[in-house]
Amino acid sequence: MKERFKEALLFWLAVTSGISSIVSLFFVIISDNAKVTIALLAIIIFLVALLLSIWYAINKYIHKDYDRDYQKLSFFTRYEYLDKSHIIYDGYRLIQSKRFFLSSIKWKFKWTGNLLPKVSSALQNCDGKIIKNSTNDYDHVILKFKRALLYNESAVVHFHAEMDDAEGVAQPHLDLKVEEPISVVNFRVILAYKDNNFSEHATFKRKLINSDTPTDYEVIGSVNFNTNSKSYEYILTNPEVGYFYRIEWEK
């Protein structure tokens, strides 16, 4: 960081010195008032250049120290079937900014149905546009903060989706990709259309994100169905990094 800061500072000092030298040539042919004005402008230019140099050096250091725009601290997700084809999804993520100014984030998701969901947010600005991925990876939407986050400032991010699975092709599971440490993840799935006799367990699985050979999900637990709330709930604490985690249920 020190070397980069010195390089940037020397560069802007050289530029400012050059500008000052050129300006000084005009001092002998212009009035005293004009000299004062130009001198003030030169000082302002120097101070702006100095601040930009400091900002550049610190920003480069921050990017080197943390390569992501923000850190995920916790995640709460709710996936509710209103009936067999209409689903509402809500995700709440507590994040901490790792940039000087964080004005927006990408919320990645993958809907397996054929009809595009309607997306929005109760906390951020969202234009409802879904940006499709050209590969089989996650799609995403842009969530814009109403006030940009500063470095190390925390905020709750919200993503809402209304989905229609009239064709019955959506897969009954929720996935989470864990690429960095996160303290807690809460999965909640509500099957409001199930009758009072339904009591099948859901399974909780995981598989490696990066593997030399294709791998299947391995079952690491089961989740009881709460017949009173007609829901599954699974709390995952400090999950091991480098895995996809999935809760899967009977449709």
Side-chain angles (χ1 to χ4, degrees):
M1 176 184 174
K2 290 182 178 179
E3 293 300 321
R4 289 175 178 167
F5 174 76
K6 288 179 180 178
E7 291 175 5
L9 183 58
L10 289 173
F11 171 76
W12 285 107
L13 285 174
V15 171
T16 306
S17 298
I19 294 172
S20 299
S21 297
I22 295 172
V23 170
S24 65
L25 295 176
F26 295 94
F27 277 9
V28 295
I29 59 175
I30 56 180
S31 65
D32 290 340
N33 288 337
K35 290 178 182 179
V36 171
T37 301
I38 292 174
L40 288 174
L41 287 174
I43 292 172
I44 291 171
I45 292 172
F46 170 76
L47 292 175
V48 170
L50 182 61
L51 289 173
L52 287 173
S53 300
I54 294 172
W55 176 86
Y56 175 80
I58 295 176
N59 198 49
K60 292 292 287 185
Y61 176 79
I62 290 173
H63 276 259
K64 183 180 178 182
D65 186 59
Y66 202 89
D67 61 354
R68 302 182 191 278
D69 289 343
Y70 59 90
Q71 182 179 2
K72 301 171 186 175
L73 302 177
S74 60
F75 182 47
F76 299 84
T77 180
R78 174 188 173 104
Y79 195 87
E80 181 178 6
Y81 282 83
L82 302 178
D83 53 44
K84 285 190 176 182
S85 60
H86 294 93
I87 307 160
I88 291 178
Y89 173 88
D90 282 288
Y92 293 88
R93 185 181 294 163
L94 177 61
I95 68 167
Q96 185 179 54
S97 171
K98 293 301 176 182
R99 295 294 175 259
F100 257 161
F101 299 99
L102 184 64
S103 59
S104 65
I105 70 164
K106 293 180 180 179
W107 187 289
K108 298 181 179 181
F109 71 99
K110 194 66 177 180
W111 165 239
T112 55
N114 290 333
L115 302 175
L116 281 179
K118 296 178 181 179
V119 299
S120 61
S121 174
L123 300 177
Q124 284 73 43
N125 294 322
C126 177
D127 61 9
K129 182 180 179 182
I130 298 172
I131 302 171
K132 302 288 289 184
N133 196 301
S134 57
T135 66
N136 197 32
D137 203 354
Y138 291 98
D139 303 324
H140 71 270
V141 298
I142 302 296
L143 301 179
K144 297 181 179 179
F145 294 103
K146 296 176 181 178
R147 181 185 64 80
L149 299 183
L150 303 179
Y151 180 73
N152 265 355
E153 188 174 3
S154 299
V156 175
V157 181
H158 173 241
F159 172 74
H160 176 83
E162 298 177 17
M163 298 164 288
D164 187 346
D165 186 32
E167 299 176 357
V169 298
Q171 299 173 19
H173 60 68
L174 273 178
D175 283 352
L176 177 69
K177 187 178 184 180
V178 178
E179 299 178 282
E180 58 186 321
I182 185 170
S183 58
V184 60
V185 180
N186 179 275
F187 295 89
R188 184 171 173 80
V189 179
I190 302 172
L191 308 179
Y193 64 90
K194 293 293 187 181
D195 61 40
N196 294 331
N197 296 321
F198 182 80
S199 60
E200 294 296 324
H201 289 19
T203 55
F204 200 76
K205 306 177 178 182
R206 75 174 188 177
K207 77 170 182 177
L208 284 169
I209 295 173
N210 299 313
S211 178
D212 294 333
T213 58
T215 57
D216 293 326
Y217 278 89
E218 60 171 328
V219 177
I220 59 174
S222 64
V223 189
N224 293 329
F225 184 72
N226 187 320
T227 55
N228 293 321
S229 61
K230 295 188 176 181
S231 66
Y232 298 106
E233 186 167 15
Y234 191 89
I235 298 175
L236 181 65
T237 56
N238 298 313
E240 187 176 352
V241 174
Y243 284 88
F244 287 103
Y245 292 87
R246 168 182 289 185
I247 183 170
E248 187 170 303
W249 60 90
E250 180 183 307
K251 203 168 183 178

